[in-house]
Amino acid sequence: MSAPDSAIRQTLANANLQLAIYSNTGRLKNHRSKAVAPDRFPEYQDLRTRAAAIKRHTLAFLDVYLLQLEHAVNDNGGKVIWASTGEEAADFIIQLAKDREANLIVKSKSMTTEEIHLNDRLAQHELETVETDLGEYILQLAGQRPFHILAPAIHMTRHDVAKVFNEKLGIEHDTVIENQAMTARRVLREKFLNAGIGITGANFLLADSGGVVIVENEGNARLTLSAPKIHVTVAGLEKLIPRARDLPVFLDLLGRSATGQPLTSYTSIVSGPRRNGELDGPEEFYVILLDAGRTKLLADPEMRESLQCIRCGACLNACPVYRKIGGHNYPWVYSGPIGKVITPQFQGVEKDPWLPFASSLCGACAEVCPVKIDIPSLLLKLRKEIVQANPEDRRYFRIWAWLMQRPGMYALAAKIGRALMGFNIGPLAAWRSERDLPAAPPKSFRDLWKQRKK
Ligand code: SF4
């Protein structure tokens, strides 16, 4: 049950990468702390409680709200597509692109589409998909997956970006960030104008009005949903909230928790195709509701709490483990504390059983989560499942339980353990190669206790 050691060691040994992760997550973390400080935002804790309650309620009545959303989207002239797997979602888009002869697709940042490897699936059918979020665009050129659920290229410096642009776009090596942004803007503007389909994710889906809410800072999502003739939203079932009037609760929390902004630069709410007399907007409007394991999670009354996540990224920035090992050492697209909870549930606990154990359970994630997900408790539940399924681990815990019930044996084992602490042999050597083991104090607790009693 061990993590991908060599890759993690490489990350830890890369001083530039360490600096990039630590300083960038630190910056986001500080912005968040200031934005939610009681003197600046006294309603913060109340809003967290309300947001968590709304999400809990929505998940409890998800079947009702999903049907309500479908009716509202239909009434607005759009169409809901139910996809039980990523394959089904991709198949719908592939067929749509073929029917409409749309070979170029623009896309705004969406972790849900990352999750189902949508770009790869479309590429297999010779459909060109272009990421239009600056960070995602850089990663697409570099052939990398997101490093962070909010800031996908958080690990890259301007020098890294200059190298990628030089190699992939053939432009002069230029490390000025403004020039790099202008280069991306020039390339992407052409793509927006020529794309037949625009694909976005959704931060929220409004059941009462059929609205798709997209929150962003660059304006690329707004162009993606309005420039091409066809707009497709790919969203997980859990993105639903019951009413448009619930939205301010989440908007107040999301921007502050993510980047420390009271509100992000663009908040788009789109609820259907262009109507008669409207000058812009898509002619066709589809919402793909993706299950891909979510209903299985929903069926577990404890674990379903993880579906409350609004992907703000605050728990990643607060996590001492993420801030050392970064995002690419996590086995799936979702990294950090929430990734440790979601990944085993979507991919099976047996696949990467080390994941829920890669946490100190310090609780920093739960403290910053705007929807109050108790990540440490969920990790403990996953650990229990893994240990129960693993006979070797159960044996260790049985030995431990046996010892704890026999004080004499326990004292003897503790003595041997204290003596071994000074040696670097066998499995101890491997364990100590990554950890500083403090020297054992001259007297054990038992010795001190005995002394005190005397
Ligand atoms: S678990 Fe909470 S803090 Fe982490 S990304 Fe989700 S909403 Fe944000």
Side-chain angles (χ1 to χ4, degrees):
M1 196 188 290
S2 69
D5 273 4
S6 62
I8 290 177
R9 279 210 186 91
Q10 274 175 26
T11 306
L12 296 178
N14 184 334
N16 285 341
L17 183 55
Q18 285 293 307
L19 183 64
I21 307 172
Y22 204 71
S23 58
N24 289 330
T25 51
R27 196 164 31 84
L28 289 170
K29 191 170 171 248
N30 291 341
H31 288 332
R32 179 208 154 269
S33 304
K34 282 186 195 149
V36 302
D39 55 333
R40 271 211 204 170
F41 192 44
E43 55 274 55
Y44 174 58
Q45 295 299 346
D46 282 349
L47 284 177
R48 283 181 81 205
T49 306
R50 277 176 65 192
I54 293 170
K55 277 284 184 181
R56 264 198 307 275
H57 166 84
T58 318
L59 291 172
F61 298 96
L62 196 60
D63 50 345
V64 177
Y65 287 122
L66 283 169
L67 290 177
Q68 196 184 351
L69 175 85
E70 185 179 30
H71 287 140
V73 171
N74 287 343
D75 288 349
N76 296 335
K79 192 163 188 242
V80 165
I81 312 298
W82 300 88
S84 52
T85 61
E87 212 165 27
E88 281 182 27
D91 284 349
F92 171 78
I93 297 171
I94 291 162
Q95 197 53 50
L96 185 69
K98 285 186 179 162
D99 292 347
R100 306 294 189 273
E101 295 180 2
N103 295 328
L104 176 62
I105 297 170
V106 282
K107 229 180 116 248
S108 68
K109 181 177 155 342
S110 147
M111 290 306 291
T112 312
T113 57
E114 293 284 347
E115 178 191 319
I116 60 172
H117 306 290
L118 184 62
N119 293 1
D120 294 342
R121 291 179 198 262
L122 299 184
Q124 283 162 12
H125 292 263
E126 289 167 15
L127 297 169
E128 183 191 352
T129 312
V130 182
E131 293 290 346
T132 60
D133 169 272
L134 181 57
E136 286 281 356
Y137 177 60
I138 294 165
L139 292 185
Q140 189 178 30
L141 291 176
Q144 294 183 22
R145 68 175 163 102
F147 200 85
H148 189 285
I149 60 175
L150 175 80
I154 200 169
H155 60 303
M156 292 179 95
T157 64
R158 61 199 168 97
H159 299 279
D160 298 327
V161 176
K163 192 163 173 274
V164 172
F165 278 12
N166 175 258
E167 284 171 8
K168 303 290 175 176
L169 300 177
I171 58 166
E172 207 178 305
H173 191 90
D174 188 343
T175 56
V176 179
I177 292 173
E178 288 77 5
N179 294 347
Q180 294 173 345
M182 288 312 289
T183 299
R185 185 189 161 109
R186 206 173 45 247
V187 176
L188 293 175
R189 198 47 67 112
E190 276 303 305
K191 303 288 183 188
F192 281 122
L193 294 174
N194 293 311
I197 298 179
I199 299 177
T200 66
N203 292 93
F204 306 99
L205 298 170
L206 310 176
D208 61 350
S209 59
V212 172
V213 183
I214 301 162
V215 170
E216 48 147 353
N217 274 322
E218 295 175 21
N220 65 301
R222 187 166 286 183
L223 268 173
T224 303
L225 65 87
S226 54
K229 282 187 176 169
I230 303 169
H231 176 209
V232 180
T233 300
V234 183
L237 304 177
E238 80 284 9
K239 293 292 167 75
L240 218 65
I241 55 173
R243 303 167 302 181
R245 59 190 279 208
D246 297 321
L247 186 59
V249 174
F250 292 94
L251 294 182
D252 271 345
L253 289 169
L254 180 56
R256 286 180 170 90
S257 303
T259 52
Q261 291 168 280
L263 199 60
T264 43
S265 306
Y266 298 86
T267 302
S268 306
I269 305 178
V270 53
S271 52
R274 177 195 303 196
R275 295 190 183 105
N276 285 340
E278 285 181 349
L279 294 177
D280 55 14
E283 290 168 14
E284 294 179 54
F285 180 84
Y286 301 95
V287 179
I288 300 181
L289 290 175
L290 181 74
D291 181 347
R294 286 160 171 83
T295 44
K296 193 176 127 228
L297 234 143
L298 194 66
D300 184 326
E302 282 178 74
M303 296 310 290
R304 76 157 61 145
E305 191 180 337
S306 52
L307 290 175
Q308 289 175 206
C309 176
I310 57 171
R311 308 274 190 265
C312 71
C315 58
L316 280 69
N317 304 328
C319 176
V321 178
Y322 177 89
R323 296 187 75 195
K324 290 306 286 181
I325 71 169
H328 285 169
N329 287 313
Y330 289 80
W332 202 32
V333 288
Y334 298 109
S335 54
I338 191 64
K340 283 175 213 167
V341 172
I342 291 178
T343 306
Q345 296 177 85
F346 276 58
Q347 310 231 306
V349 282
E350 63 295 336
K351 194 154 181 262
D352 292 291
W354 59 272
L355 199 53
F357 293 87
S359 166
S360 63
L361 300 178
C362 68
C365 47
E367 213 168 282
V368 298
C369 178
V371 285
K372 291 192 165 180
I373 301 175
D374 186 356
I375 294 176
S377 297
L378 298 181
L379 286 173
L380 283 174
K381 188 168 179 275
L382 285 168
R383 287 181 184 188
K384 190 175 163 195
E385 257 180 58
I386 292 164
V387 169
Q388 278 174 345
N390 190 329
E392 200 179 315
D393 283 355
R394 271 166 60 194
R395 200 160 53 231
Y396 291 136
F397 281 99
R398 275 209 199 104
I399 295 170
W400 180 256
W402 185 86
L403 264 182
M404 293 289 282
Q405 289 166 42
R406 289 161 182 82
M409 292 299 285
Y410 184 87
L412 180 67
K415 247 187 202 151
I416 296 170
R418 280 167 58 77
L420 285 177
M421 274 169 81
F423 293 97
N424 235 355
I425 44 164
L428 260 184
W431 194 84
R432 292 188 68 169
S433 68
E434 289 161 14
R435 296 167 182 86
D436 295 326
L437 196 61
K443 284 187 179 170
S444 71
F445 177 78
R446 279 173 173 271
D447 297 337
L448 290 172
W449 189 254
K450 261 188 219 154
Q451 203 176 330
R452 207 158 200 229
K453 263 176 131 184
K454 270 184 203 163

